[in-house]
Amino acid sequence: MVETIKVSAGYGKCQILQGVDFRACRGEVTTLIGTNGSGKSTLLRVVLGFLPFREGDVVIDGISLKKMTGAALARKIAYLPQGKSVPDISAERMVLHGRFPYLRYPRRYGAEDYRIAKAAMEQMGIAEFGHRQMSELSGGMRQKVYIAMALAQQAEVIIMDEPTTYLDIGQQLKFAQMMRRLSEDGKAIILVLHDILLALKLSDRIAALEEGRIARCGTPEEILQSGVLERLYDVKVKSLRLASGVQYFYDIPSMSGDESGAPINF
């Protein structure tokens, strides 16, 4: 479990986070939402140990971040940043990078590292593409490689910043299914998403940030009923329960001013 307790942090004299209480548990997908500048990326940087916090504490599986080494933290958390460049290496080599926190001098991969990397690629269904260069793969396939790298890292927490930015709708749906499977395997998944409908559909819990504070945290339905989405984004979102599950859509007024205009379904 990842937990921030009354965390305050910022850059120089600029305070961004103000007493943030946040929790992400194993077996759940927890999503951070909020407008630009609300503090989402800053919160990630604090949890990852990239940015020191000024007040409060960050606790990972019961251990304070203050007491953890960089290597220990890397074995706990796998991070997939936004806007990753495409390296000129094979998919297998990319996945092997997940084993780096476990390497000892002289930093050479051993048989166990290759076995774990292969198992991660098989889990993601990309073992046959191991020899392919990353530049040759589609955006959706590259995303699977990055997730396999996180699995090879054997971290219990996986953090992703805007992971669906370059994915089409079909790839987004497959990504959502992958995240559900990983959480069901006991991983704690933390996502930052701008796609509100995807966040509602995918998440077990959602934390909405506003001006460096948690404006609301709860289940998708609790977030929907709280009115925080309309306040933050100036949009109305509704839900419809179908046999296939709950569907979320934007309630767009018609051009005639009729408030019951046609919805846009996820």
Side-chain angles (χ1 to χ4, degrees), residues 33 194-201 206 220-240 246-253 259 263-266:
I33 64 172
H194 279 300
D195 188 327
I196 303 305
L197 300 186
L198 180 60
L200 289 167
K201 184 70 176 177
I206 297 174
E221 194 60 30
E222 288 171 342
I223 291 294
L224 194 63
Q225 297 301 322
S226 71
V228 69
L229 298 179
E230 187 171 357
R231 191 178 82 245
L232 293 181
Y233 298 101
D234 195 27
V235 296
K236 291 183 179 180
V237 180
K238 292 187 176 182
S239 63
L240 182 64
V246 179
Q247 298 297 316
Y248 298 95
F249 57 89
Y250 292 119
D251 187 24
I252 308 296
E259 291 295 327
I264 297 176
N265 291 299
F266 169 77

Side-chain angles (χ1 to χ4, degrees), residues 140 144 167-178 266:
K144 288 187 176 183
L167 303 183
D168 61 34
I169 185 64
Q171 291 171 335
Q172 287 182 23
L173 292 174
K174 291 177 181 178
F175 172 81
Q177 293 168 354
M178 285 189 288
F266 169 77

Side-chain angles (χ1 to χ4, degrees), residues 131-204:
H131 66 284
R132 297 274 297 275
Q133 293 296 107
M134 290 291 289
S135 58
E136 299 174 358
L137 302 177
S138 67
M141 191 63 69
R142 283 199 296 268
Q143 192 67 285
K144 288 187 176 183
V145 173
Y146 291 126
I147 295 172
M149 180 178 67
L151 294 178
Q153 195 169 327
Q154 295 184 315
E156 296 302 319
V157 181
I158 300 177
I159 296 178
M160 302 186 192
D161 190 0
E162 289 296 334
T164 62
T165 300
Y166 302 108
L167 303 183
D168 61 34
I169 185 64
Q171 291 171 335
Q172 287 182 23
L173 292 174
K174 291 177 181 178
F175 172 81
Q177 293 168 354
M178 285 189 288
M179 293 304 99
R180 297 305 315 167
R181 287 199 300 269
L182 290 177
S183 66
E184 290 167 1
D185 287 341
K187 304 287 187 184
I189 309 296
I190 302 175
L191 307 175
V192 169
L193 292 175
H194 279 300
D195 188 327
I196 303 305
L197 300 186
L198 180 60
L200 289 167
K201 184 70 176 177
L202 171 60
S203 309
D204 294 293

